Amino acid sequence: MTTPLASTTSAATGKIPGHAASVSPLITGWRREAALRLGAGLDVARHFGETGLIELDGQPLSLHPLGEEPAGPWLAVTRAARPAAVAEEVWCDALLLATGQTLVASHAAFGLNDDGEAVLILRTAAGHEHPDLLAVELAGLLQLRQALLEGVQAPAAAPVIHTGAVEAAPGGGDGGGAAGAPFLEAPERVLVRVHEALLQAGLPAEEALAGARSGAFTLDGQSIGLACEDETGTLVVVADLGAEALDTPERRRLALQANTTLMVFAGVAVARERGRARLMSRCPVDGRSAVDFADSFAAWLRDFARLARATSDSRDTASRDTASRDAAAAH
């Protein structure tokens, strides 16, 4: 499926994309200042401020607020065409692997549009008074795009993006590890908040404590794992979808097409590593009171578990439908 954001930038022609409707001075200023820090000329930066569309060294980029409130989260999007020498199956495998590696470092994921282009979507904070930080985020997005293209074309090498980030724990099966062993490496404040959120989500006291210690638990029948980014205290959340969810090229292609919508509207994406499918996202811990975090993260976890289960259910339904059609055709 194609979202409006999947085609927001023009082809890499080296020209400034067409003018868009005027926006608020806040949005215009943040985008203009970020473009200047990325090395754009004054005219190009001014145009980026007004439209949210730019090309930097042939790399298309768009930046727009996610909602009507400019101080809320924003979406940055870039695209990359599949190199002619790279087969579609290899391309899709690279995008799914890169998504898993990218999400442990930033709130970004790869999808696929109807033309077979990679769509890289980043959810980021607004510019506020720190256009330098916004520019760094945008530069990182373009670096991820370049790393994908270089990796997928490297001879006799697996397409890998090196993020240097922590590896998200796979969803555990029994909701805990060895008794008393704190396997979730995180600051104490994060462990406490995770424990409170798991209690709020409805886990029994013993399971909530084990889940906070290990970073692995089961919620509503869905295995979920947590990892913590040391510098920011952000949680990386992973639901294990099994090996079968992405076991055919067609399923992998459809999952990537779905990622463009999932990332925009839910901030989650499907990834694949070591043959297993994962639903992944990120959740900041700081910035809210302990009570607010427990309530909101508990509700978010329940929604995340339902989405993961729905993804598995839709896969099983599709498999049964395919089997039924094959059986009918055989007769």
Side-chain angles (χ1 to χ4, degrees):
M1 60 191 74
T2 301
T3 69
L5 287 170
S7 302
T8 48
T9 52
S10 66
T13 61
K15 300 178 181 178
I16 301 174
H19 183 71
S22 61
V23 294
S24 76
L26 272 180
I27 294 174
T28 299
W30 291 340
R31 290 194 296 215
R32 182 186 64 246
E33 292 303 314
L36 289 172
R37 284 158 174 77
L38 287 170
L42 183 58
D43 289 342
V44 174
R46 185 181 296 115
H47 191 91
F48 186 53
E50 295 171 351
T51 68
L53 306 175
I54 196 174
E55 275 190 17
L56 295 170
D57 298 325
Q59 301 176 104
L61 178 67
S62 70
L63 178 66
H64 299 281
L66 181 57
E68 296 181 359
E69 177 55 53
W74 286 34
L75 292 174
V77 183
T78 186
R79 296 177 293 107
R82 174 169 62 88
V86 177
E88 181 182 26
E89 185 173 343
V90 174
W91 183 238
C92 290
D93 287 346
L95 296 179
L96 287 166
L97 176 61
T99 291
Q101 296 177 336
T102 299
L103 273 168
V104 300
S106 63
H107 207 159
F110 288 89
L112 198 68
N113 68 15
D114 291 339
D115 296 327
E117 289 184 320
V119 182
L120 177 55
I121 301 173
L122 169 72
R123 294 169 68 101
T124 185
H128 298 300
E129 298 178 358
H130 303 287
D132 287 338
L133 298 180
L134 182 57
V136 168
E137 291 266 39
L138 297 179
L141 186 73
L142 295 178
Q143 289 170 2
L144 286 172
R145 175 189 183 274
Q146 186 63 28
L148 169 77
L149 292 173
E150 292 176 357
V152 80
Q153 296 179 93
V160 175
I161 291 180
H162 296 287
T163 63
V166 297
E167 181 177 351
D174 61 359
F183 296 122
L184 176 57
E185 297 183 3
E188 182 68 21
R189 72 179 193 284
V190 173
L191 297 175
V192 170
R193 290 193 169 196
V194 168
H195 178 232
E196 293 170 348
L198 295 183
L199 288 172
Q200 188 69 20
L203 267 66
E206 184 175 349
E207 293 182 18
L209 182 59
R213 285 174 170 168
S214 67
F217 55 92
T218 299
L219 181 62
D220 295 337
Q222 178 64 53
S223 295
I224 296 177
L226 303 176
C228 181
E229 194 175 73
D230 291 338
E231 294 182 359
T232 66
T234 297
L235 292 171
V236 180
V237 189
V238 181
D240 185 14
L241 303 180
E244 299 82 9
L246 299 175
D247 62 354
T248 68
E250 176 67 8
R251 286 177 177 169
R252 295 195 281 276
R253 183 179 63 81
L254 290 174
L256 284 165
Q257 288 180 328
N259 271 359
T260 60
T261 298
L262 288 171
M263 195 62 186
V264 170
F265 295 106
V268 304
V270 177
R272 184 171 184 252
E273 187 177 13
R274 300 186 183 96
R276 299 191 71 81
R278 296 173 170 180
L279 187 68
M280 298 181 63
S281 189
R282 294 169 62 86
C283 183
V285 174
D286 297 329
R288 287 168 285 181
S289 70
V291 173
D292 286 345
F293 176 80
D295 290 341
S296 60
F297 190 50
W300 185 91
L301 279 175
R302 288 192 291 265
D303 289 341
F304 184 75
R306 280 194 291 267
L307 181 57
R309 193 168 59 252
T311 301
S312 297
D313 290 344
S314 64
R315 174 204 69 209
D316 295 339
T317 299
S319 297
R320 288 193 297 269
D321 291 345
T322 300
S324 298
R325 287 196 299 270
D326 292 344
H331 291 290

